[in-house]
Amino acid sequence: MLVKAFAKINLSLDIVGKREDGYHLLEMVMQNVDLHDDVIIEETEEGIVLTCNKGYVPVDERNIAYKAAKLLMDTKGIERGVSIDITKRIPVAAGLAGGSADAAAVLKGMNVLFNLQMSTEELMEVGLKLGADVPYCIVGGTCLCEGIGEIVTPLKPFSGYSVLLVKPSFGVSTKDAYGSFELDRINKHVDTKKLMKAMEDGDLNGVNYYSRNLLENVVLRRYPILKSIKQMLNRNGSAVTLMSGSGPTIYGIFSDVSDAENAAKVLNRNNNEVILTRTI
Ligand code: ATP
């Protein structure tokens, strides 16, 4: 069975508090793009066998897709095995939720394959144990995500916009980005309601004005090259330019696909990975 695992971008990322156990309380507007990994899941006699086309991605219990299969087997007492083959297209450690999307694909695929009849809510509950972005990846599309990622509210689709993803050659660890962030120093939170209204109206100027990622300053300070990527996107017709998740991917949303294609040529330097996709 083939399940597509779609990448996401953040139209916003706000940190609104911290729980006593140390988890950050978030408010994020998330959007799927067409870029996806292919996850092929098959039933086997026993155990979990994972394969991946990218040699630098671990294929043992460190892989979040492996963890998803193990967790579901333990939770549901599945005695058969699975083979999981991942064709990775989503850049790794990029802020695009590549791993989380693979994990969500495994949970959804195994739910069908083993006829588990789990509801979306149940799948999200299991998914949350694997990571904060997994519940969103199970729902997908355009969503407001709150709490520690477990409250996912679908929004009016913001589909069909051209998106240019620019991922520099280095990765950023999600843990490090949040670790360097100081909650006390926030002087302005995201106006999520106004952002959602602008998205609903298809008002890209408004989306640009209200879209914000609170981790961006921390990561941009550490990697000044990201500032020049933002400037280049802005100079080349991007209507909305922002860092996704904990970075380092910077994206531009374009109202005109030919502008996005031209910008792709300009940004294609310094070993940047440049991917033209669209919101779905
Ligand atoms: P997020 O936006 O959810 O923080 P990300 O895009 O920043 O995700 P991932 O691509 O999920 O980050 O990868 C983060 C780390 O997890 C990498 O160091 C990678 O080795 C490891 N990893 C484990 N499983 C996977 C997977 N299935 N795909 C990609 N990376 C994985």
Side-chain angles (χ1 to χ4, degrees):
M1 169 189 289
L2 166 67
V3 188
K4 291 180 179 178
F6 292 98
K8 62 85 186 162
I9 54 172
N10 288 75
L11 271 305
S12 69
L13 190 162
D14 198 358
I15 301 168
V16 295
K18 206 169 184 183
R19 286 204 322 201
E20 275 181 11
D21 56 11
Y23 279 102
H24 287 102
L25 293 167
L26 306 167
E27 199 171 277
M28 307 184 283
V29 176
M30 311 264 244
Q31 172 64 50
N32 270 145
V33 292
D34 196 30
L35 172 71
H36 59 273
D37 294 345
D38 283 338
V39 181
I40 297 175
I41 310 161
E42 307 286 355
E43 186 174 340
T44 62
E45 295 271 305
E46 58 174 4
I48 303 168
V49 175
L50 187 91
T51 47
C52 181
N53 65 328
K54 294 281 160 78
Y56 49 81
V57 174
V59 289
D60 51 20
E61 55 282 341
R62 287 170 296 169
N63 194 301
I64 187 168
Y66 187 108
K67 285 184 190 154
K70 173 96 175 55
L71 181 61
L72 201 61
M73 283 166 144
D74 292 347
T75 310
K76 288 285 163 184
I78 299 170
E79 282 170 6
R80 304 274 296 164
V82 276
S83 70
I84 301 165
D85 178 61
I86 303 176
T87 302
K88 250 206 137 24
R89 297 192 194 90
I90 306 173
V92 172
L96 299 171
S100 307
D102 293 347
V106 167
L107 296 181
K108 286 200 284 188
M110 285 178 66
N111 187 33
V112 176
L113 202 62
F114 293 97
N115 195 21
L116 302 175
Q117 304 197 353
M118 292 168 76
S119 64
T120 303
E121 289 69 31
E122 267 180 284
L123 287 170
M124 287 166 70
E125 215 171 287
V126 176
L128 185 66
K129 294 187 181 141
L130 298 159
D133 287 347
V134 182
Y136 160 72
C137 291
I138 286 166
V139 178
T142 312
C143 290
L144 170 66
C145 305
E146 298 168 277
I148 57 166
E150 81 283 19
I151 310 166
V152 179
T153 312
L155 304 174
K156 185 181 164 202
F158 183 68
S159 50
Y161 293 100
S162 296
V163 177
L164 195 64
L165 303 172
V166 183
K167 152 88 176 43
S169 54
F170 55 90
V172 167
S173 129
T174 305
K175 219 170 137 208
D176 286 355
Y178 278 96
S180 334
F181 181 84
E182 289 171 59
L183 196 56
D184 326 333
R185 291 179 62 184
I186 300 178
N187 46 30
K188 199 166 159 251
H189 284 279
V190 180
D191 193 335
T192 307
K193 285 209 173 71
K194 294 237 171 74
L195 170 64
M196 294 191 299
K197 175 77 171 68
M199 289 170 69
E200 233 174 74
D201 294 345
D203 165 19
L204 288 189
N205 282 334
V207 175
N208 189 41
Y209 188 80
Y210 290 111
S211 63
R212 222 166 137 236
N213 178 344
L214 258 74
L215 293 176
E216 197 180 60
N217 279 344
V218 179
V219 180
L220 258 60
R221 221 177 294 132
R222 194 180 303 165
Y223 303 103
I225 185 82
L226 300 178
K227 284 187 199 153
S228 46
I229 292 175
K230 281 194 81 170
Q231 278 167 359
M232 282 164 83
L233 280 165
N234 286 333
R235 275 193 218 121
N236 285 277
S238 167
V240 181
T241 313
L242 197 70
M243 184 180 85
S244 186
S246 50
T249 301
I250 306 283
Y251 68 82
I253 300 180
F254 292 76
S255 48
D256 188 330
V257 70
S258 57
D259 284 346
E261 283 163 357
N262 286 333
K265 286 180 203 146
V266 179
L267 270 302
N268 204 347
R269 52 156 86 171
N270 298 336
N271 291 321
N272 289 339
E273 210 172 326
V274 180
I275 301 169
L276 180 55
T277 180
R278 63 190 174 83
T279 57
I280 54 168

